Amino acid sequence: MMENIIAPWPWYVTGPIVGATMAILLLFGKSLGLSSNFRIICSACGAGKKNSFFNFDWKRESWNLVFAIGCIIGGFISYKYLGGDHLAGISDATANHLQSLGITSDNHYVLPSELFNASAIFSVKGLLMLTIGGFLIGFGSRYAGGCTSGHAISGLSNLQLPSLIAVIGYFIGGLIMTWLIIPFIL
């Protein structure tokens, strides 16, 4: 039983679970999006007094915040108790490409120390990458009206054209980052 929980679940199991979750949310008139929790947190902290963007009934959307907290707790439990550090299922071609970029410290490529140890994070290059990357993700999520999960899972399940355009943009941006930018900054 525990082996079935720890092993990566196939697409034909996880896909219907995600689809059923979206159907339940649609049934209750909700849409899922993790980046919208930033707006909820700011509104709950009183930012609506300073900026009208944050002036809304955040309590009505607080279920989304509970979902985000559940994701964090679930991720911790998976990593700590279910062998979550061994679940990165990447292809041999990707592993070879990462090795060609000098990322060889982690056989599972979940948290390679070349990118995720204290000396890498607190170096000038690491701080620049985190600062610029964080700004681009935050600005892009806000400008696009949602993050990858909001558009790719929730938006596409609602058949929203803006979400399809955003998802295509995410893939194009990911390809540009992977093949053109990452090799120069690592």
Side-chain angles (χ1 to χ4, degrees):
M1 173 73 177
M2 198 63 182
E3 293 293 323
N4 291 334
I5 293 173
I6 292 174
W9 293 3
W11 64 267
Y12 52 84
V13 173
T14 55
I17 291 173
V18 172
T21 303
M22 290 296 98
I24 291 169
L25 288 172
L26 286 173
L27 190 65
F28 288 100
K30 305 288 184 186
S31 61
L32 178 67
L34 289 176
S35 62
S36 61
N37 284 304
F38 176 71
R39 185 178 181 214
I40 293 169
I41 291 170
C42 289
S43 179
C45 292
K49 295 174 187 168
K50 301 279 184 185
N51 188 318
S52 63
F53 177 73
F54 299 109
N55 190 13
F56 71 102
D57 184 15
W58 64 270
K59 291 179 183 175
R60 203 178 75 201
E61 300 295 325
S62 61
W63 68 271
N64 207 0
L65 191 58
V66 173
F67 178 81
I69 293 169
C71 287
I72 293 168
I73 294 171
F76 175 78
I77 291 171
S78 173
Y79 178 77
K80 197 72 175 172
Y81 302 109
L82 300 176
D85 59 334
H86 301 286
L87 296 178
I90 62 173
S91 70
D92 291 339
T94 302
N96 291 336
H97 181 68
L98 289 172
Q99 288 176 357
S100 73
L101 296 174
I103 298 176
T104 59
S105 65
D106 182 356
N107 292 336
H108 309 289
Y109 301 101
V110 176
L111 295 173
S113 62
E114 291 88 350
L115 301 173
F116 294 101
N117 68 22
S119 65
I121 290 173
F122 293 108
S123 67
V124 172
K125 185 169 87 174
L127 288 173
L128 280 173
M129 287 172 58
L130 287 173
T131 303
I132 294 170
F135 173 78
L136 290 174
I137 288 173
F139 177 78
S141 295
R142 187 64 261 151
Y143 189 71
C147 61
T148 52
S149 64
H151 280 297
I153 298 172
S154 188
L156 289 181
S157 68
N158 289 328
L159 303 176
Q160 294 182 15
L161 181 60
S163 292
L164 178 62
I165 294 169
V167 169
I168 290 170
Y170 296 146
F171 276 97
I172 292 171
L175 289 170
I176 290 171
M177 189 68 184
T178 300
W179 294 105
L180 301 178
I181 299 174
I182 287 282
F184 292 106
I185 60 176
L186 287 182

